[in-house]
Amino acid sequence: MEATWFLEFSLDHPLDMLLELSKTGNLSEYYVSWEDGGIGLWADYTGLFNADVSLTEAMDELSLLNLYLLGEKSEVPRGRVKDDLFRRALAGDKFEMFLEEHPVVGLGSYDPMIDLHIVKEGEKLYILSLDWYGSHQEVFCEVNLDDWLETTSKLSLMVLRDFEKMLKTLKRFAVVNAQEVICKLKKDVMKVLDYYPVDVDSLPPAYAPWDVEEVCKVASKFLKLGNPEMAAEVLRTLKNENHFRWAVWRIPGDVKELERLYEFIPVKVLRTRLAYLHALEGRVDDALKFAEDDRDLHAICLALVNTSK
């Protein structure tokens, strides 16, 4: 399994709030919402979950779920799946399990319809990812319990470390709930780590979101100057694979500039971005060239080409 995440926070936000505070002088109304972000969960290149979320709620739900999966008492939300021909075909002979009560989590998603339905059988988890934007985006997947616990425990810990990396700056900007949020996150994370330890020293370095943003800006300047090799070197200073991928996905640049960057960073995330960009501009051959043998990406590109006409 693989997990991705990001924190949706720019330093412009607290600066704007401080400017407003200087005008009103009303500290009681000064509050910065800084819990927004995104989470993605993947198993064998199958997207189980990918949504904008409240990260504190997501970590809380993950801790409750993982404690339940570890056999501890936990108030994890539960539910049943209604009988449905499409979902029955999707899950095959495992569908009957989902008709019984089982854990159902939305992981803090701002879309209240998105849910992960999870059934544990021995050392296996069977997952139905339902109520996305149409049945074509619903998936069924089998995951090893240990793989799930390792991936999601590391995810929780890395999100916490990124938040801690932000703390000093947030306090400087008088973000009044910063310490409170981090304490809550730490409490949720430590609940699971007590039962499923993670080697903290083995994890990649943490980054505040504005650190990643600054790397993107510097790399983009080199792209604009016609030096994609130096832009690639700047991006590689991010030693956390998650943040590196995020920076590559977000770096400003037109298609031609990004194609030159791809010569020096031939990574899947940039190939996917180039396929999307070509498809959105109606260049089907170029889009499919970057999609290569990725069937899902191939189908998405064809759909984007058709909708862009």
Side-chain angles (χ1 to χ4, degrees):
M1 275 190 70
E2 183 181 7
T4 59
W5 75 98
F6 69 88
L7 280 66
E8 193 65 65
F9 194 93
S10 168
L11 288 181
D12 292 341
H13 192 179
L15 284 172
D16 291 340
M17 295 292 289
L18 279 173
L19 178 61
E20 187 64 25
L21 175 62
S22 69
K23 294 176 181 176
T24 64
N26 190 347
L27 187 60
S28 65
E29 293 184 5
Y30 179 65
Y31 175 82
V32 177
S33 175
W34 58 286
E35 301 171 31
D36 297 343
I39 286 178
L41 294 173
W42 311 81
D44 295 328
Y45 301 106
T46 299
L48 299 177
F49 185 89
N50 193 11
D52 294 331
V53 301
S54 160
L55 285 164
T56 51
E57 288 186 24
M59 297 305 105
D60 184 40
E61 287 190 49
L62 262 183
S63 69
L64 290 173
L65 172 63
N66 285 351
L67 285 172
Y68 169 85
L69 295 175
L70 285 164
E72 299 300 318
K73 289 184 178 180
S74 174
E75 297 179 2
V76 63
R78 300 171 68 83
R80 292 181 172 86
V81 173
K82 292 181 180 179
D83 204 347
D84 175 276
L85 286 176
F86 176 80
R87 293 170 180 175
R88 183 175 283 276
L90 197 62
D93 60 359
K94 302 297 181 183
F95 184 75
E96 295 293 331
M97 297 191 220
F98 292 95
L99 296 176
E100 302 299 324
E101 197 172 70
H102 57 270
V104 182
V105 292
L107 299 186
S109 171
Y110 291 123
D111 184 337
M113 302 300 292
I114 295 176
D115 283 318
L116 285 179
H117 294 253
I118 300 172
V119 171
K120 179 176 179 281
E121 186 180 53
E123 295 302 306
K124 295 284 187 184
L125 297 182
Y126 299 102
I127 302 174
L128 270 173
S129 181
L130 301 180
D131 291 322
W132 290 77
Y133 310 108
S135 59
H136 62 289
Q137 291 188 352
E138 298 186 342
V139 297
F140 170 76
C141 193
E142 176 185 321
V143 176
N144 289 326
L145 173 62
D146 196 59
D147 198 8
W148 170 275
L149 290 172
E150 180 180 6
T151 301
T152 55
S153 297
K154 285 183 177 179
L155 168 66
S156 298
L157 189 52
M158 288 189 286
V159 169
L160 170 62
R161 289 162 72 241
D162 279 2
F163 270 118
E164 288 178 328
K165 196 79 173 177
M166 300 165 65
L167 182 58
K168 184 183 290 187
T169 302
L170 292 172
K171 284 185 172 180
R172 189 181 306 140
F173 284 112
V175 179
V176 293
N177 70 330
Q179 188 69 58
E180 176 188 340
V181 171
I182 284 183
C183 287
K184 184 180 187 308
L185 278 170
K186 187 173 290 187
K187 182 180 177 182
D188 289 335
V189 171
M190 293 308 157
K191 282 179 192 174
V192 176
L193 294 185
D194 283 344
Y195 296 94
Y196 195 89
V198 171
D199 181 5
V200 178
D201 294 333
S202 70
L203 298 176
Y207 292 92
W210 45 81
D211 294 333
V212 180
E213 197 175 274
E214 186 61 28
V215 168
C216 280
K217 288 179 181 177
V218 174
S220 179
K221 288 178 181 177
F222 281 112
L223 268 189
K224 297 296 181 187
L225 291 170
N227 193 339
E229 184 176 8
M230 189 57 70
E233 286 301 312
V234 172
L235 289 168
R236 288 196 187 98
T237 62
L238 292 168
K239 301 303 182 184
N240 187 312
E241 186 65 26
N242 176 78
H243 296 75
F244 169 76
R245 285 194 301 261
W246 187 241
V248 170
W249 183 260
R250 292 286 289 268
I251 181 174
D254 60 32
V255 174
K256 293 299 181 185
E257 290 169 341
L258 294 174
E259 282 185 347
R260 288 194 289 272
L261 180 63
Y262 185 69
E263 295 174 15
F264 298 95
I265 305 182
V267 293
K268 181 180 178 181
V269 64
L270 186 51
R271 179 166 61 82
T272 301
R273 184 178 173 190
L274 284 165
Y276 282 2
L277 290 174
H278 280 299
L280 286 169
E281 294 181 17
R283 294 187 292 271
V284 63
D285 291 339
D286 291 327
L288 296 182
K289 177 184 72 175
F290 282 101
E292 294 180 353
D293 57 352
D294 187 327
R295 289 185 299 174
D296 291 337
L297 182 55
H298 197 282
I300 290 170
C301 286
L302 289 177
L304 288 172
V305 167
N306 290 332
T307 56
S308 66
K309 290 179 179 177

